[in-house]
């Protein structure tokens, strides 16, 4: 189908492979503007189409989408996307240019071929704005050095970075002493005594204060009551501060099915989640504790020596450390110590890479996802969408400590979850602010 040449207001977006591996339907999210896929991107996707990881799924789905959109058209011609409100797309073969990125940067590589595609469009589509879209910061910088507009893929990124500072904890000063006394005496009060008719966030945690006393509380939106929150033990692990107390309350609260816990290293995120899971082990068929594998130096784990178990052990070791810490609260002869051994041996408690959990049915499961900031929004959505009856999911992580190259604090799955699910009655969020690992660890977090 021929492409109308008169509409100069339509921009041309050139997509990098990293964008498609982040979201296979990204091609559909550029409003009325046109999209170009360099042939190099299709060649790279061919390398990713086999496998069970999310990037493999995204590659396969994009190839199917492109095949469906092109139908009987030749993909090197402008082809309509979908509907009158969308633009057109085409696949651009390796073009000849006056400027050659391979020569400019002194190396022939796929990134430079993608830059050459953008340079070609800039020369041949005069009057139209050409923009390279990439999750790769270095590629965007190279594009700008060649006078090519470049930007990150914005769809799915949270707009308000301040939302990530939401602690899930609120402090209310000058609360009537009678209200605080009533909370201590009867455990709960009518929410109207504190908030009046003001709408309050579901599952919010509050510290109520006056000059003499304070009390930790939780707002139960279903009953419109403010309930006292007490420090409680979970498999002999006791919270050490108000935020940990709130987090453990959310983990143990049967009304809350989805919890996110944000905090820097050493704040106790994973430890509390695992302790809470062990405390509730009788309520669930299995406890899954999983984390995404972020290979060293972004290399595939295949370069590591040994069998698959040996390759994965370094990534799972932090999870085993938390389990051993809880276990060592008891003597080896104690039944609680032996119960953990039994749970592991009978696979009632399973610690695995997230890729090994993906695809399994999540009914009657207590599921902890550690290091969730290294997941994409699509991965987080996929995990939650698989939850069946009597399943609870805890996501832990630090949104400012990203280990994967194409995610940042605004585009990772944990940030996406915190931003999108806030105020839902099934969800609670807590930010742990104080490191409790050791004074030495706190020194590192605060001063280094």
């Amino acid at each position: 189908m021929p492409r109308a040449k008169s509409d100069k207001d339509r921009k041309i977006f050139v997509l990098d492979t990293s964008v498609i591996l982040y979201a296979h339907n990204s091609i559909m999210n550029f409003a009325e503007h046109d999209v170009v896929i360099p042939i190099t991107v299709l060649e790279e996707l061919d390398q990713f189409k086999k496998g069970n990881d999310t990037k493999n799924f995204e590659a396969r789905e994009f190839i199917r989408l492109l095949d469906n959109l092109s139908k009987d058209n030749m993909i090197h011609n402008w082809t309509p996307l979908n509907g009158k409100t969308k633009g057109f797309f085409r696949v651009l073969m390796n073009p000849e240019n006056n400027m050659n990125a391979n020569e400019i940067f002194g190396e022939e590589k796929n990134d430079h071929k993608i830059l050459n595609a953008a340079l070609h469009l800039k020369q041949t589509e005069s009057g139209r704005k050409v923009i390279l879209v990439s999750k790769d910061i270095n590629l965007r910088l190279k594009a700008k050095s060649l006078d090519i507009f470049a930007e990150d893929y914005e769809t799915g990124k949270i707009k308000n970075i301040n939302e990530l500072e939401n602690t899930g904890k609120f402090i209310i000063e000058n609360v009537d002493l009678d209200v605080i006394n009533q909370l201590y005496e009867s455990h709960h009060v009518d929410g109207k005594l504190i908030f009046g008719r003001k709408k309050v966030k579901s599952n919010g945690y509050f510290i109520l204060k006056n000059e003499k006393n304070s009390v930790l509380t939780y707002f139960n939106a279903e009953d419109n009551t403010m309930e006292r929150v007490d420090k409680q033990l979970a498999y002999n692990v006791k919270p050490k501060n108000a935020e940990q107390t709130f987090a453990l309350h959310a983990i143990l609260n049967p009304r809350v099915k989805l919890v996110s816990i944000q905090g820097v290293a050493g704040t106790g995120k994973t430890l509390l989640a695992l302790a809470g899971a062990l405390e509730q082990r009788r309520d669930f068929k299995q406890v899954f504790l999983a984390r995404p594998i972020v290979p060293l130096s972004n290399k595939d784990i295949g370069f590591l020596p040994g069998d698959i178990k040996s390759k994965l052990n370094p990534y799972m070791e932090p999870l085993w450390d938390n389990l051993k810490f809880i276990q060592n609260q008891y003597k080896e002869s104690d039944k609680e110590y032996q119960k953990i051994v039994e749970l592991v041996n009978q696979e009632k408690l399973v610690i695995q890479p997230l890729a090994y959990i993906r695809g399994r049915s999540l009914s009657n499961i207590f599921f902890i996802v550690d290091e969730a900031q290294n997941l994409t929004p699509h991965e987080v959505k996929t995990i939650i969408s698989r939850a069946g009856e009597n399943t609870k999911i805890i996501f832990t992580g630090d949104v400012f400590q990203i280990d994967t190259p194409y995610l940042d604090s605004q585009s990772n799955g944990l940030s996406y979850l915190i931003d999108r699910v806030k105020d839902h009655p099934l969800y609670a969020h807590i930010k742990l602010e104080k490191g409790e690992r050791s004074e030495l660890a706190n020194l590192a977090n605060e001063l280094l």
Side-chain angles (χ1 to χ4, degrees):
M1 180 175 178
R3 178 71 180 91
K5 297 291 185 182
S6 58
D7 193 354
K8 301 293 184 182
D9 292 331
R10 290 177 183 263
K11 301 171 185 174
I12 299 177
F13 290 96
V14 182
L15 300 196
D16 173 34
T17 311
S18 61
V19 175
I20 293 163
L21 294 179
Y22 178 80
H24 71 268
N25 62 343
S26 53
I27 192 173
M28 306 300 295
N29 293 325
F30 291 90
E32 74 278 9
H33 303 293
D34 296 334
V35 178
V36 168
I37 310 294
I39 189 65
T40 306
V41 169
L42 287 186
E43 292 170 354
E44 288 191 327
L45 289 175
D46 192 56
Q47 306 300 312
F48 286 103
K49 68 184 182 184
K50 294 181 181 179
N52 298 317
D53 207 350
T54 300
K55 62 187 178 184
N56 309 123
F57 166 83
E58 298 292 346
R60 289 192 295 267
E61 286 299 298
F62 177 77
I63 292 166
R64 293 188 186 105
L65 177 62
L66 208 64
D67 182 55
N68 184 55
L69 288 171
S70 61
K71 296 177 182 174
D72 295 329
N73 298 318
M74 298 295 103
I75 58 174
H76 63 274
N77 296 325
W78 286 114
T79 302
L81 281 162
N82 188 21
K84 295 180 180 179
T85 60
K86 301 290 184 184
F88 288 64
F89 83 93
R90 62 178 289 206
V91 172
L92 183 62
M93 304 302 162
N94 292 323
E96 294 289 335
N97 291 332
N98 296 330
M99 293 176 65
N100 187 326
N102 287 317
E103 295 177 0
I104 293 170
F105 294 112
E107 184 180 2
E108 186 166 331
K109 55 192 298 187
N110 286 341
D111 279 0
H112 299 160
K113 292 179 181 179
I114 293 169
L115 290 173
N116 281 337
L119 285 169
H120 175 79
L121 290 166
K122 187 177 178 183
Q123 294 167 12
T124 57
E125 297 282 350
S126 59
R128 300 189 66 192
K129 188 173 184 178
V130 176
I131 303 169
L132 175 67
V133 184
S134 177
K135 303 294 295 178
D136 185 338
I137 298 173
N138 197 52
L139 183 58
R140 296 202 302 265
L141 291 173
K142 283 186 173 182
K144 291 174 183 179
S145 74
L146 298 177
D147 202 26
I148 300 169
F149 289 103
E151 61 186 45
D152 194 1
Y153 178 66
E154 298 290 334
T155 302
K157 292 188 76 167
I158 68 168
K159 305 302 179 186
N160 183 11
I161 190 69
N162 294 326
E163 183 60 35
L164 298 182
E165 294 302 320
N166 169 22
T167 63
K169 176 196 75 175
F170 307 91
I171 299 174
I172 302 179
E173 304 277 1
N174 303 317
V175 177
D176 192 291
L177 181 59
D178 290 338
V179 172
I180 292 181
N181 287 338
Q182 187 178 340
L183 278 162
Y184 276 110
E185 290 169 6
S186 61
H187 197 269
H188 60 83
V189 298
D190 190 327
K192 291 179 182 178
L193 291 176
I194 299 165
F195 303 111
R197 297 191 177 185
K198 182 180 177 183
K199 186 178 179 182
V200 187
K201 175 185 175 183
S202 295
N203 303 318
Y205 289 91
F206 298 82
I207 301 177
L208 307 185
K209 290 184 173 183
N210 62 24
E211 292 180 357
K212 295 184 178 180
N213 278 331
S214 66
V215 61
L216 306 183
T217 60
Y218 154 78
F219 181 67
N220 184 335
E222 187 176 327
D223 299 334
N224 195 34
T225 58
M226 189 71 91
E227 302 175 1
R228 190 177 85 236
V229 175
D230 297 319
K231 284 189 177 182
Q232 52 189 321
L233 285 174
Y235 223 83
N236 215 30
V237 172
K238 186 177 181 179
K240 295 185 176 181
N241 55 52
E243 293 79 22
Q244 285 195 354
T245 302
F246 291 149
L248 190 56
H249 180 275
I251 292 164
L252 297 174
N253 188 346
R255 291 187 178 185
V256 176
K257 301 297 184 182
L258 179 63
V259 179
S260 62
I261 305 175
Q262 142 79 0
V264 299
T267 49
K269 307 179 295 294
T270 310
L271 179 66
L272 289 171
L274 183 53
L278 290 170
E279 188 68 24
Q280 300 171 86
R281 64 193 181 280
R282 297 180 185 89
D283 300 328
F284 299 90
K285 182 178 68 178
Q286 277 183 302
V287 174
F288 284 163
L289 182 55
R291 58 174 7 201
I293 290 178
V294 181
L296 303 171
S297 303
N298 296 306
K299 294 179 182 178
D300 188 87
I301 63 169
F303 80 97
L304 292 171
D307 58 17
I308 188 66
K309 185 176 180 180
S310 301
K311 293 173 187 291
L312 295 174
N313 273 342
Y315 301 101
M316 299 302 109
E317 201 61 42
L319 305 183
W320 289 110
D321 287 344
N322 279 283
L323 186 61
K324 289 171 188 172
F325 178 88
I326 295 172
Q327 195 173 30
N328 289 332
Q329 304 297 303
Y330 304 93
K331 298 177 182 177
E332 287 190 30
S333 57
D334 289 344
K335 64 178 182 179
E336 291 88 355
Y337 187 103
Q338 295 302 322
K339 188 62 183 178
I340 292 178
V341 175
E342 181 183 320
L343 290 170
V344 173
N345 290 339
Q346 295 180 355
E347 294 193 345
K348 298 287 186 182
L349 190 154
V350 182
I351 297 180
Q352 283 188 339
L354 191 59
Y356 282 48
I357 301 293
R358 190 179 289 113
R360 296 185 64 171
S361 174
L362 297 182
S363 294
N364 203 21
I365 300 292
F366 193 104
F367 192 12
I368 302 168
V369 182
D370 195 32
E371 301 290 347
Q373 77 278 3
N374 290 320
L375 300 173
T376 67
H378 177 77
E379 286 176 306
V380 167
K381 179 180 178 181
T382 299
I383 292 166
I384 298 172
S385 66
R386 297 197 63 83
E389 288 297 318
N390 192 37
T391 284
K392 182 159 184 165
I393 305 179
I394 316 291
F395 288 93
T396 69
D398 178 5
V399 298
F400 299 106
Q401 185 63 51
I402 312 294
D403 300 315
T404 52
Y406 300 139
L407 297 177
D408 58 32
S409 61
Q410 291 175 272
S411 64
N412 72 84
L414 183 57
S415 297
Y416 182 81
L417 176 69
I418 294 169
D419 180 64
R420 293 299 180 93
V421 193
K422 58 181 181 287
D423 298 334
H424 195 283
L426 291 180
Y427 171 71
H429 167 71
I430 285 294
K431 179 182 178 183
L432 302 181
E433 301 176 80
K434 186 179 179 182
E436 296 289 357
R437 184 171 287 166
S438 68
E439 291 184 6
L440 185 58
N442 290 343
L443 179 150
N445 286 327
E446 294 169 9
L447 301 178
L448 300 182

